[in-house]
């Protein structure tokens, strides 16, 4: 069995994993989640991911399960899946209630854990990089929820990816801009680029999720004396003109980008700084405990 789901306190196969149509996660996207990679017999950077899950839940006034409960659910689900390398999605919904937007009408929060094959980057993707599209859809706005909240309401990312694939069927990621026009982040990733030997990623004030992998990569760069910048505005043309571009996420790790909007980045191959950081990141996750 390669896909297993923990729900209602038990691990089930996908066919038996049912959520009520009155669960607010289904009705309103009223939920928070994290995705972690299971490698080398453990969930990578789990503590940081669970810290963020709890912060997101706190922002939405959802009472998350005890950390020990979540950790045990992850172990049980991954063990049942028998996957040596798994993608683990941890979801906490506000719970079941009437079709009423008032959160006070919800019952107890519900924990769901899904373990499935990792589906990380292939060797070809690492060697040749992927293409991305900068889409017209913007991330956030004055009335949008705090971008620090990793919630189940992911419609902007869904629409961004749909736009990217309509424009270029082979696109591997959509890059969204902020309401002010700055490059923000990928639909499911953070974005980095290299210009003149400086590693650049949009600052948190642009309105992006503070990625766990993003933070690890910035820390690795600093240990190597690589200069970094986190500007409050990154013009889309800066991404197109960069020497190197890559994405980061829990499942992707570091993934080179060699085309932006159909135009080759730098030499058209993953750049030296990207590959240096990729090697360092692989060592880091092999040592993480």
């Amino acid at each position: 069995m390669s896909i297993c789901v923990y729900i209602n306190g038990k691990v089930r196969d996908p066919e038996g994993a049912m959520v009520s149509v009155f669960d607010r996660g289904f009705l309103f996207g009223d939920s928070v989640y994290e995705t972690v990679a299971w490698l080398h017999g453990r969930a990578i950077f789990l503590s940081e991911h669970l810290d963020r899950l709890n912060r997101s839940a706190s922002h939405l006034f959802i009472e998350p399960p005890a950390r020990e409960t979540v950790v045990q659910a992850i172990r049980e689900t991954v063990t049942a899946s028998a996957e040596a390398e798994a993608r683990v999605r941890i979801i906490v919904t506000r719970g079941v209630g009437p079709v009423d937007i008032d959160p006070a009408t919800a019952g107890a929060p519900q924990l769901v854990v899904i373990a499935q094959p990792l589906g990380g980057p292939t060797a070809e993707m690492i060697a040749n990089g992927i293409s991305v599209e900068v889409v017209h859809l913007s991330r956030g706005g004055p009335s949008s929820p705090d971008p620090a909240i990793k919630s189940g309401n992911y419609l902007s990312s869904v629409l961004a990816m749909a736009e990217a694939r309509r424009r270029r069927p082979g696109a591997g990621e959509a890059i969204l801009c902020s309401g002010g026009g700055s490059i923000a982040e990928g639909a499911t990733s953070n974005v980095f680029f290299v210009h003149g030997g400086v590693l650049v990623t949009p600052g948190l004030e642009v309105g992006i999720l503070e990625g766990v992998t993003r933070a690890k990569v910035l820390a690795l760069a600093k240990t190597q004396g690589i200069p970094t910048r986190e500007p409050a505005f990154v013009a889309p043309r800066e991404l197109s003109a960069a020497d190197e571009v890559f994405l980061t996420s829990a499942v992707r790790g570091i993934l080179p980008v060699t085309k932006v909007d159909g135009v080759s980045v730098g030499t058209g191959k993953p750049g030296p700084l990207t590959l240096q950081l990729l090697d360092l990141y692989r060592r880091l996750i092999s040592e993480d405990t």
Side-chain angles (χ1 to χ4, degrees):
M1 185 182 296
S2 61
I3 302 178
C4 287
V5 183
Y6 177 100
I7 188 168
N8 294 324
K10 294 182 179 179
V11 179
R12 308 169 189 271
D13 60 29
E15 293 72 23
M18 302 297 178
V19 175
S20 169
V21 294
F22 295 104
D23 189 290
R24 292 175 62 92
F26 170 77
L27 286 173
F28 308 120
D30 191 3
S31 63
V32 294
Y33 83 97
E34 286 290 324
T35 299
V36 299
W38 182 277
L39 298 165
H40 311 296
R42 60 190 179 276
I44 302 300
F45 310 133
L46 182 59
S47 178
E48 291 91 332
H49 281 284
L50 293 184
D51 286 345
R52 188 171 65 182
L53 181 76
N54 288 346
R55 288 196 301 271
S56 295
S58 176
H59 281 302
L60 296 186
F61 307 105
I62 295 173
E63 184 64 36
R67 185 173 293 232
E68 296 77 12
T69 300
V70 178
V71 170
Q72 183 61 28
I74 292 169
R75 287 179 181 147
E76 290 179 15
T77 312
V78 173
T79 299
S81 76
E83 289 291 332
E85 297 187 347
R87 177 193 305 239
V88 181
R89 188 178 180 101
I90 308 149
I91 306 162
V92 179
T93 80
R94 196 180 299 276
V96 174
V99 185
D100 182 340
I101 63 170
D102 182 0
T105 63
Q110 165 138 261
L111 170 64
V112 178
V113 176
I114 304 170
Q116 63 188 71
L118 181 65
T122 64
E124 181 182 0
M125 292 165 70
I126 295 295
N128 298 323
I130 65 164
S131 68
V132 301
E133 293 288 310
V134 180
V135 300
H136 295 101
L137 192 72
S138 64
R139 175 73 86 204
S143 61
S144 298
D146 187 338
I149 301 170
K150 195 171 178 70
S151 79
N153 190 334
Y154 237 53
L155 192 55
S156 61
S157 291
V158 171
L159 294 176
M161 202 64 218
E163 180 185 337
R165 290 280 171 82
R166 281 197 305 271
R167 285 167 46 182
R168 203 168 306 277
E173 177 66 304
I175 306 297
L176 294 92
C177 293
S178 70
S182 170
I183 291 291
E185 59 190 347
T188 58
S189 62
N190 287 112
V191 60
F192 285 78
F193 66 94
V194 178
H195 182 73
V198 179
L199 182 65
V200 185
T201 188
L204 299 181
E205 62 268 41
V206 171
I208 63 171
L209 182 71
E210 187 174 2
V212 170
T213 309
R214 173 186 182 275
K216 297 294 181 182
V217 169
L218 285 169
L220 283 173
K222 288 170 184 175
T223 66
Q224 300 300 306
I226 299 168
T228 64
R229 289 181 55 234
E230 300 176 64
F233 185 89
V234 175
R237 65 177 178 275
E238 294 182 68
L239 195 64
S240 303
D243 302 320
E244 306 176 39
V245 178
F246 63 86
L247 307 176
T248 61
S249 72
V251 171
R252 292 182 176 99
I254 293 177
L255 178 58
V257 171
T258 48
K259 283 190 177 180
V260 175
D261 293 338
V263 177
S264 292
V265 174
T267 64
K269 291 288 185 181
L273 192 50
T274 301
L275 295 177
Q276 179 186 356
L277 289 167
L278 176 58
D279 181 59
L280 291 168
Y281 182 77
R282 284 173 168 168
R283 292 188 209 172
L284 179 65
I285 61 175
S286 70
E287 297 165 357
D288 177 61
T289 56

